[in-house]
Amino acid sequence: QGCVCAVRCRSHGRTQARPPEALLHTCTNRKRCGCRPEPCHRPALDVDLLAADGASVTLEYALADFSLAQFARSVGREDKYREYLDRSQNWTNLFNVDSGFLQPRDTAGDFPAGNPVTTGMTNFGQSGFQEGNASQYVWMVPHDLEGLFTRMGGHAQAIERLDQHFTELKAGTERAFFYIGNEPEHGTPWIYNFAQAPWKTQAIVRRIVNEEFSTQAGGLPGNDDLGATSSWLVWAYLGMYPVTVATDG
């Protein structure tokens, strides 16, 4: 079996995703297909560090694997549950202990040098991330927030970082603050709950609703993207949010 994740085609220099297998398998033959680093982090493998969205795609696939694990358990496939739950931890391969951020890695397994939230910045997000940057995507681990907090140094440190992140509420894709106008961060305001500071979620959700939404023309921040942002507002009015997909939490 060859590499069935999204890889850079060595002969043509372009990224190739090979569906549907890419949704079902991680790289199981690294020596044959040349995928690096070890352990293989799916699917941001063998891609140009500054020319792909490898980090954000890896995070999305880790979350998808977590969801598949829950489905497998619901139909009695405990073997597949364990397999996909293990794969859902691929996000940890992106955590740079030196910077404290989730970052893309090049084909040698190295993180980019320089400032973790500005290096590789374009006019629509940071290289390695789809429509966002490392400061925004670091919270995109809803299925293992406790694991993320531990790597950040604990609940207090995570809360401090969240407080700093919410300095701005509509920062866009280039600034290292919260951006309500795009889906990757829609669950971030509720993360305080998991760090044992629920009152902070209550405060920031109310602030976002009051400051960024209105009944006037253009009163919906960002692109609604098939109802994503307006749905966020409905959940906020209800006082709840489905933070962890494929679960009741």
Side-chain angles (χ1 to χ4, degrees), residues 2-246:
C3 180
V4 289
C5 36
V7 299
R8 172 162 290 274
C9 176
R10 295 179 183 276
S11 58
H12 298 95
R14 62 178 182 273
T15 300
Q16 294 183 333
R18 309 179 198 174
E21 293 87 355
L23 298 177
L24 301 175
H25 301 286
T26 191
C27 176
T28 56
N29 195 341
R30 287 182 288 271
K31 291 184 179 179
R32 178 176 176 182
C33 70
C35 287
R36 295 185 299 270
E38 299 280 355
C40 155
H41 67 293
R42 168 183 184 237
L45 305 168
D46 209 23
V47 293
D48 191 315
L49 177 66
L50 298 181
D53 299 323
S56 55
V57 176
T58 295
L59 292 173
E60 291 193 19
Y61 271 61
L63 187 53
D65 285 336
F66 175 82
S67 302
L68 287 169
Q70 309 316 304
F71 175 74
R73 169 165 274 187
S74 74
V75 296
R77 290 297 303 273
E78 197 67 19
D79 58 330
K80 290 299 180 182
Y81 166 77
R82 291 191 297 270
E83 177 183 343
Y84 283 103
L85 193 64
D86 181 63
R87 290 181 182 179
S88 74
Q89 290 296 297
N90 282 332
W91 73 269
T92 61
N93 295 318
L94 301 180
F95 191 83
N96 185 343
V97 295
D98 293 325
S99 70
F101 286 92
L102 299 174
Q103 295 181 257
R105 302 175 74 166
D106 63 18
T107 55
D110 297 325
F111 292 110
N115 190 309
V117 297
T118 60
T119 296
M121 190 61 71
T122 71
N123 61 0
F124 197 45
Q126 187 178 13
S127 295
F129 301 93
Q130 176 68 27
E131 300 179 10
N133 55 65
S135 181
Q136 295 166 350
Y137 270 94
V138 71
W139 307 105
M140 196 174 164
V141 194
H143 59 293
D144 190 16
L145 287 171
E146 198 60 43
L148 178 64
F149 298 157
T150 297
R151 285 167 174 79
M152 288 181 168
H155 288 179
Q157 289 78 2
I159 290 170
E160 183 179 348
R161 289 182 62 165
L162 283 166
D163 289 345
Q164 173 66 23
H165 191 59
F166 287 114
T167 299
E168 297 181 25
L169 302 181
K170 196 177 178 182
T173 59
E174 292 82 51
R175 293 178 58 76
F177 300 100
F178 180 72
Y179 181 31
I180 183 56
N182 207 15
E183 289 91 338
E185 287 219 278
H186 279 180
T188 306
W190 277 268
I191 291 178
Y192 281 118
N193 288 318
F194 297 85
Q196 307 303 311
W199 62 92
K200 285 182 172 285
T201 279
Q202 297 163 15
I204 194 60
V205 168
R206 184 174 296 275
R207 181 181 155 209
I208 294 169
V209 170
N210 290 340
E211 294 183 16
E212 302 302 332
F213 291 85
S214 78
T215 57
Q216 305 301 312
L220 198 64
N223 188 330
D224 199 25
D225 281 346
L226 300 179
T229 308
S230 54
S231 297
W232 184 96
L233 182 62
V234 172
W235 282 109
Y237 282 150
L238 292 172
M240 62 182 71
Y241 194 81
V243 176
T244 309
V245 299

